[in-house]
């Protein structure tokens, strides 16, 4: 219940302030979090060391602080969803690769919009919904029912529909894809302990298998998409071309090989925007 109260207070403060002031406040609070939360700070630092073994400690330390600051801004954006409309999109959001999405949807097999916990993935889904696309997002339910309702109401207030990550998630996703909808999946962190162990930045970790599995079952194209924050706090939604893959017929082998293809794309974006990859836990297997 405490977290719910904190989120509601954060939202109330955010909505009362101009966005630039809210960002400055978020940076101040994020700096405090960076200094006081040893566990989160060390996790981010250790993750970045694996991504950038060539960087010295000071570089990694400064980069880690930027991760916390950008996550603070991410929360400001999330709390501000009620302000979003098509005029906001025109002013603050550019979309690159919209033709890739339209072409994929023309196949009538749905689209798996695959992203990572980078930039503002929540805003990316909302932007697609506001642009008129039938969009669903898989989301891990929060343990507290009030927090869970708060997050889902924020998402659904702008037309983004939520598929909870539970025992029925596969059935729901397959039905939505068969109806030519977009299903958004964050494919870099496994929450089920049912993923596959693959190398990511040269080290093994557990990766979710959902996106590859759904694509192989339905023939649905996978489009990697990333909502990236620009230096001036505008955004660009980048929609890549569908991942090309030829199935061998061996489901387990195909799942691994298809997943490897999009992990390479994740690596490219995380190396380009490391200060926007929000992974506050030790990511790799020990």
């Amino acid at each position: 219940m405490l977290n719910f109260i904190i989120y509601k207070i954060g939202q109330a403060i955010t909505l009362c302030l101009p966005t630039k002031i809210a960002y400055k406040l978020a940076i101040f609070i994020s700096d405090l979090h960076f200094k006081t939360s040893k566990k989160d700070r060390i996790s981010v630092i250790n993750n970045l060391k694996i991504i950038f073994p060539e960087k010295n400690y000071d570089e990694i330390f400064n980069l880690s602080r930027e991760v916390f600051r950008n996550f603070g801004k991410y929360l400001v954006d999330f709390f501000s969803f009620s302000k979003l409309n098509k005029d906001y999109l025109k002013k603050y959001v550019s979309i690159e690769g919209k033709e890739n999405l339209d072409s994929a949807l023309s196949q009538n097999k749905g689209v798996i919009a695959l992203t990572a916990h980078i930039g503002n993935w929540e805003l990316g889904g909302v932007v697609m919904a506001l642009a008129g696309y039938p969009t669903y997002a898989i989301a891990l339910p929060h343990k507290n029912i009030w927090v869970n309702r708060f997050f889902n109401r924020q998402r659904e207030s702008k037309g983004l529909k939520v598929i909870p990550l539970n025992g029925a998630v596969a059935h729901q996703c397959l039905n939505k894809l068969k109806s030519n909808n977009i299903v958004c999946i964050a494919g870099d962190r496994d929450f089920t302990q049912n993923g596959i162990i693959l190398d990511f930045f040269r080290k093994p970790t557990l990766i979710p298998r959902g996106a590859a599995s759904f694509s192989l079952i339905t023939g649905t194209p996978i489009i990697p998409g990333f909502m990236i924050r620009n230096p001036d706090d505008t955004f660009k939604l980048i929609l890549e071309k569908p991942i090309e893959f030829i199935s061998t017929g061996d489901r387990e082998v195909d799942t691994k090989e298809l997943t490897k293809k999009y992990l390479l794309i994740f690596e490219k974006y995380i190396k380009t925007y490391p200060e926007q990859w929000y992974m506050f836990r030790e990511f790799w297997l020990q």
Side-chain angles (χ1 to χ4, degrees):
M1 192 65 180
L2 177 61
N3 284 343
F4 172 72
I5 294 172
I6 291 172
Y7 287 133
K8 290 296 290 184
I9 292 172
Q11 183 187 41
I13 293 172
T14 297
L15 293 176
C16 287
L17 295 174
T19 301
K20 289 185 178 180
I21 301 300
Y23 280 155
K24 288 181 179 180
L25 178 59
I27 289 171
F28 174 76
I29 295 172
S30 298
D31 283 348
L32 289 177
H33 182 204
F34 181 72
K35 292 176 181 178
T36 58
S37 181
K38 181 178 179 181
K39 182 179 178 181
D40 288 352
R41 183 177 68 250
I42 290 176
S43 293
V44 172
I45 287 173
N46 287 341
N47 289 339
L48 290 171
K49 282 180 179 178
I50 291 173
I51 298 169
F52 297 105
E54 74 281 4
K55 290 186 181 295
N56 62 41
Y57 182 79
D58 287 343
E59 290 174 308
I60 293 293
F61 184 87
N62 291 333
L63 198 53
S64 300
R65 184 170 53 208
E66 290 304 311
V67 171
F68 280 72
R69 289 176 173 178
N70 278 316
F71 186 71
K73 288 183 175 182
Y74 158 87
L75 288 176
V76 168
D77 298 328
F78 185 76
F79 291 153
S80 303
F81 275 3
S82 61
K83 297 180 180 179
L84 301 186
N85 53 38
K86 291 186 177 180
D87 288 335
Y88 173 92
L89 300 189
K90 291 178 182 179
K91 187 174 181 179
Y92 293 105
V93 179
S94 64
I95 301 178
E96 301 177 11
K98 182 175 178 291
E99 67 280 3
N100 296 326
L101 182 60
D102 292 336
S103 176
L105 284 171
S106 70
Q107 300 177 33
N108 291 313
K109 295 181 179 180
V111 164
I112 296 169
L114 182 66
T115 192
H117 291 87
I118 188 171
N120 195 322
W121 62 96
E122 300 268 13
L123 182 58
V126 167
V127 164
M128 289 199 292
L130 283 173
Y133 294 100
T135 309
Y136 294 77
I138 298 177
L140 179 71
H142 292 264
K143 293 180 181 179
N144 183 281
I145 187 171
W146 294 102
V147 173
N148 197 56
R149 286 177 180 172
F150 172 75
F151 272 76
N152 285 345
R153 284 172 180 167
Q154 285 295 99
R155 294 161 177 148
E156 294 178 339
S157 65
K158 296 300 173 180
L160 177 65
K161 301 175 180 65
V162 176
I163 299 174
L165 184 59
N166 56 28
V169 63
H171 178 72
Q172 290 191 60
C173 286
L174 294 175
N175 280 342
K176 302 307 179 189
L177 293 173
K178 287 177 182 177
S179 300
N180 203 33
N181 295 295
I182 299 169
V183 174
C184 302
I185 301 176
D188 56 341
R189 180 177 176 182
D190 182 77
F191 291 97
T192 67
Q193 299 303 308
N194 190 38
I196 45 180
I197 296 176
L198 292 172
D199 281 351
F200 189 50
F201 287 104
R202 306 167 302 279
K203 290 196 67 174
T205 192
L206 197 63
I207 299 294
R209 63 173 68 231
S213 295
F214 294 147
S215 178
L216 292 169
I217 291 170
T218 62
T220 300
I222 296 176
I223 291 185
F226 305 91
M227 189 69 157
I228 301 298
R229 182 183 298 278
N230 296 317
D232 63 354
D233 289 320
T234 60
F235 293 91
K236 57 182 174 184
L237 175 58
I238 305 171
L239 300 168
E240 298 266 354
K241 292 181 179 179
I243 296 174
E244 296 182 0
F245 184 77
I246 300 175
S247 173
T248 67
D250 185 320
R251 183 61 56 79
E252 189 63 23
V253 170
D254 288 346
T255 299
K256 289 182 178 179
E257 294 304 313
L258 179 52
T259 304
K260 287 178 183 178
K261 276 183 169 286
Y262 57 72
L263 285 184
L264 291 175
I265 299 172
F266 285 177
E267 288 183 2
K268 180 184 75 172
Y269 276 88
I270 291 170
K271 287 210 74 167
T272 305
Y273 307 101
E275 72 285 352
Q276 296 189 47
W277 189 48
Y278 311 124
M279 197 58 60
F280 297 96
R281 68 172 184 90
E282 299 281 347
F283 187 72
W284 281 269
L285 301 176
Q286 300 299 317

